[in-house]
Amino acid sequence: LEFTVDSYDNADFVPFLTPYLLDNQEEAKGNLIIIAGGGYSERNNSGEGWPIAQRFGELGFNCYVLQRRVAPYAPEDIWMDLQRAIRYIRYHAEDYGLGGMDCLAAVGFSGGGMTICGQIYYLYGDLQPGRCADHVRCYSRRSNRCNG
C-alpha cells in the first residue's frame, strides 16, 4: 500500500465503530450499522453517517457508524471491515447489554452501499481471510430477521 499526503487516512488507521446506543435497551427495535458514502476514497460522516445514526436512534434503533478503511486499501479489505463489525456487535452484545439483537442490519450510501453489496456478494458467510486469529472472527453467524 502506498500512502501519500493526499490519502484520507494515515497508514496506522484501524477501522472502528462509533456507537449511538439507546438509554433503555429493552426498547431497542434493532441494531443498525451505518456506512457513510464517499466512494472508496473517503467517509462522508457529517452528511451520511452521524445524522443518520441520530435519526434512527430517535426511531428506536441502536446505531453504529462504521469507520471503514478507504483507499489505498482494496475493496476486499473494506468489505471485511463490515464483516468484522457484524461479528464484533454479535460477539459483544451480551457484554454490552444490547437489546434488539434479533435484528442486525446495515444501511449505506454510495460507497457505503457498495461496501454492503461487496460483503454480501463476495464474503457472505465466509470467515476471511481464511483463518481465525481471535474469538470475534470465529463467532458464528446467526440468521437475523428485522421486522418493522
Side-chain angles (χ1 to χ4, degrees), residues 30-81:
N31 294 267
L32 184 62
I33 300 170
I34 298 161
I35 310 162
Y40 285 152
S41 61
E42 62 181 270
R43 294 177 299 276
N44 181 16
N45 289 316
S46 62
E48 300 170 344
W50 304 314
I52 307 304
Q54 290 172 341
R55 180 65 181 129
F56 271 102
E58 292 166 3
L59 296 173
F61 292 87
N62 288 321
C63 295
Y64 314 85
V65 179
L66 176 60
Q67 308 304 315
R68 61 190 165 95
R69 289 176 283 187
V70 294
Y73 289 98
E76 294 83 1
D77 295 322
I78 298 168
W79 304 333
M80 283 190 278
D81 293 344

Side-chain angles (χ1 to χ4, degrees), residues 88-105:
Y88 182 89
I89 292 167
R90 285 183 174 159
Y91 185 81
H92 290 288
E94 189 174 326
D95 298 338
Y96 299 148
L98 299 176
M101 283 305 297
D102 56 332
C103 176
L104 177 58

Side-chain angles (χ1 to χ4, degrees), residues 103-117:
C103 176
L104 177 58
V107 62
F109 302 86
S110 185
M114 292 308 296
T115 298
I116 296 168
C117 291

